[in-house]
Amino acid sequence: MTSPDHSSLQQRFPRDFVWGVATSAFQIEGAAAADGKGPSIWDTFCRRSGAIADASDGSVACDHYHRWRDDLDLIADLGVDAYRFSVSWPRVQPAGQGAWNERGLAFYDRLVDGLLERGIRPYLTLNHWDLPQALQDRGGWAQRDTVHRFVDYAQGVARRVGDRVAAITTHNEPWVVAVLGHETGLFAPGLHSRATAMQAAHHLLLSHGLALQALRAQGCRSRLGIVLNLSPIGPATAREDDVAQARLEDGRSVRWYMDPLFKGTYPQDVLEHLGADAPTLEADDLRHIATPMDFLGVNYYTRSVVSASGAWDVKTSGKALTDMGWEVYPEGLTELLLRLHRDYRVPPMYVKENGAAFKDSLVDGRVHDRERTEYIAHHIAAVADALAQGVPMAGYMVWSLLDNFEWASGYDKRFGIVHVDYATQRRTLKDSARWYRDFLRTRQARAEPSAAAGAGA
Ligand code: IFM
């Protein structure tokens, strides 16, 4: 595979299309206990023996909490329009309720101002998984009270920076929080109960809807939405049992989130499958969850192929695999976006995360990450294919700006377009970052003649 030519690819996007890079607080900030920050469930989870592949934690990460100015310069140098970051809830409200931590709030204040000074639009996420441990001690997302704590937190953050951020995402990937956190136990808080996972998923969705209402009621002008991790899910064969299994997986990971958000119902087949593990709902919950959004964020990395026996092996797909073992399948992104457009009345959509981990080597100050560059280029082309077929796409963000703490995989998996030497905290632009920068520059070249034409008109 080779990368499509910059300018012909760029021509396939409207001029107001938003290009960005993304990170999250726990994965880059470090400073785990600095300036009054409280512990999060991930601080706790990292201490569990065997939970993190390299036994690492987020205490230093990319030290972004102290190096944010240089990191913003780096982002500006790439020429992106937008930077997607998350707020660490326990940094700004250490116990998850009650007292606010001024020093934590001031950090995000400075970050937002620093972005605006550099001409970059801030895209803020409220929950990228680092729930305050104090709330987990009271039951976390399985507990209905956490819904109301989240709404208060959302309002507090928006009061502080909501006048300057372009967009606010309530939750990043609620499926991951619910299922990996509460059912498989692979992620924090590391629980093993399907019923708890489904109750947590319901509370995440409910808190999203109620937060949107509360933010609008307080006059927040940022665009509001949620970010889901979604994939096309297909059967390994045309056999009836494989098809049925794929349909169920689609129900659990796609329709369980999309249906309540856009249709105000949970999928009946999944409810029946869950039986006694289905969540408890109160009157009006579904109506609140379906509160209209300004945008839908989609995180896409790969497709999913399902067989009833669980025997399908991704290594037999014939496609390249990333260092996560994920199949490189850009056409799945087009397929997914077309399906969301067809089956749901979606608002403008953004790819809020897309990227790949590959083994990198830093040699003479360069990282020649051809596979990552091609991965990004081909997925951007897949977005263009969806746009060409009428899908309302508004933006694309690379995951991730920096190599960072990849959750249960620790620091071994590198998703950054900027290499981080964790011993020195030195940042080095990989070839993928240079490609993205050049790709974005062709847009400027394209904009200039037309601006001149406009001025002359
Ligand atoms: O690093 C994560 C991110 O935090 C959420 N989406 C998937 C990425 C890669 O696994």
Side-chain angles (χ1 to χ4, degrees):
M1 265 194 189
T2 50
S3 314
D5 157 62
H6 288 130
S7 78
S8 58
L9 184 55
Q10 187 56 250
Q11 303 280 348
R12 303 185 64 198
F13 291 90
R15 288 172 191 227
D16 59 356
F17 194 82
V18 177
W19 297 99
V21 284
T23 64
S24 87
F26 191 82
Q27 293 178 274
I28 66 165
E29 283 180 3
D35 294 344
K37 177 184 170 290
S40 79
I41 56 173
W42 272 93
D43 292 305
T44 307
F45 189 66
C46 288
R47 286 198 293 273
R48 191 187 277 198
S49 169
I52 311 299
D54 58 3
S56 62
D57 59 36
S59 55
V60 177
C62 305
D63 196 30
H64 171 76
Y65 186 74
H66 298 112
R67 296 167 193 267
W68 63 272
R69 282 189 192 81
D70 291 343
D71 288 340
L72 295 197
D73 287 343
L74 202 59
I75 298 169
D77 182 48
L78 291 174
V80 294
D81 306 307
Y83 173 53
R84 176 175 180 236
F85 64 96
S86 77
V87 173
S88 158
W89 186 350
R91 192 179 293 291
V92 299
Q93 198 180 31
Q97 58 187 323
W100 294 91
N101 178 27
E102 174 51 34
R103 287 176 294 174
L105 286 168
F107 170 71
Y108 296 106
D109 230 352
R110 290 193 295 271
L111 189 74
V112 166
D113 284 343
L115 287 165
L116 294 174
E117 280 159 19
R118 290 165 179 79
I120 302 160
R121 277 175 257 169
Y123 276 58
L124 181 153
T125 300
L126 289 163
N127 173 27
H128 201 123
W129 311 352
D130 44 356
L131 184 76
Q133 180 60 41
L135 291 185
Q136 188 61 43
D137 296 342
R138 300 162 69 105
W141 286 113
Q143 177 63 246
R144 195 171 171 100
D145 186 56
T146 302
V147 171
H148 305 294
R149 304 286 68 78
F150 179 77
V151 174
D152 289 347
Y153 157 63
Q155 288 190 291
V157 171
R159 266 195 299 274
R160 187 62 180 251
V161 294
D163 56 333
R164 284 159 287 148
V165 298
I168 297 180
T169 291
T170 52
H171 300 292
N172 182 68
E173 304 184 350
W175 177 90
V176 171
V177 177
V179 175
L180 301 191
H182 298 76
E183 184 174 341
T184 68
L186 291 171
F187 280 13
L191 305 181
H192 294 271
S193 157
R194 185 172 75 166
T196 309
M198 299 320 286
Q199 194 63 56
H202 177 65
H203 288 154
L204 286 156
L205 289 168
L206 178 60
S207 68
H208 154 83
L210 291 177
L212 255 52
Q213 294 172 12
L215 293 180
R216 289 195 178 120
Q218 76 180 34
C220 177
R221 305 261 295 275
S222 309
R223 298 177 70 71
L224 307 176
I226 195 168
V227 173
L228 304 179
N229 55 306
L230 301 173
S231 292
I233 299 175
T237 71
R239 281 174 41 166
E240 211 175 299
D241 56 349
D242 286 349
V243 172
Q245 190 63 33
R247 173 83 187 147
L248 179 61
E249 293 296 329
D250 176 75
R252 288 210 57 191
S253 57
V254 178
R255 289 180 286 120
W256 187 262
Y257 300 88
M258 289 297 290
D259 283 14
L261 287 166
F262 292 100
K263 297 180 175 172
T265 56
Y266 279 122
Q268 193 55 36
D269 58 331
V270 183
L271 285 171
E272 281 162 19
H273 169 78
L274 290 172
D277 287 348
T280 304
L281 274 59
E282 291 187 8
D284 288 338
D285 281 5
L286 284 164
R287 187 172 60 76
H288 293 310
I289 292 172
T291 302
M293 285 184 254
D294 300 315
F295 68 86
L296 173 67
V298 174
N299 293 350
Y300 177 82
Y301 290 91
T302 188
R303 69 168 170 170
S304 176
V305 179
V306 172
S307 65
S309 63
W312 191 77
D313 182 356
V314 70
K315 294 195 195 79
T316 62
S317 77
K319 306 273 184 186
L321 304 184
T322 72
D323 197 29
M324 299 295 280
W326 298 346
E327 187 187 9
V328 177
Y329 197 73
E331 52 272 52
L333 177 55
T334 315
E335 187 187 323
L336 171 70
L337 297 172
L338 285 167
R339 184 257 178 118
L340 297 176
H341 179 51
R342 184 190 65 225
D343 290 357
Y344 302 92
R345 290 160 59 129
V346 284
M349 288 193 286
Y350 293 77
V351 172
K352 285 280 178 87
E353 286 183 24
N354 176 244
F358 286 108
K359 291 261 179 265
D360 293 320
S361 35
L362 177 64
V363 180
D364 298 334
R366 292 295 291 261
V367 177
H368 298 302
D369 59 338
R370 187 181 50 79
E371 290 161 302
R372 183 178 294 103
T373 306
E374 288 180 358
Y375 180 100
I376 293 170
H378 288 282
H379 283 78
I380 290 176
V383 176
D385 289 344
L387 251 174
Q389 293 173 74
V391 180
M393 295 306 303
Y396 171 93
M397 305 201 183
V398 173
W399 184 270
S400 181
L401 170 70
L402 302 171
D403 290 334
N404 60 46
F405 177 76
E406 178 52 26
W407 308 110
S409 305
Y411 293 97
D412 181 47
K413 305 293 180 208
R414 292 178 174 268
F415 274 89
I417 56 173
V418 176
H419 180 274
V420 177
D421 176 338
Y422 294 111
T424 61
Q425 291 295 346
R426 188 185 167 87
R427 276 74 160 139
T428 304
L429 261 57
K430 301 180 191 177
D431 284 0
S432 53
R434 294 164 184 267
W435 180 89
Y436 197 45
R437 185 178 60 185
D438 292 347
F439 170 68
L440 296 176
R441 279 188 185 149
T442 62
R443 177 185 52 153
Q444 286 153 14
R446 188 181 151 208
E448 274 153 22
S450 100

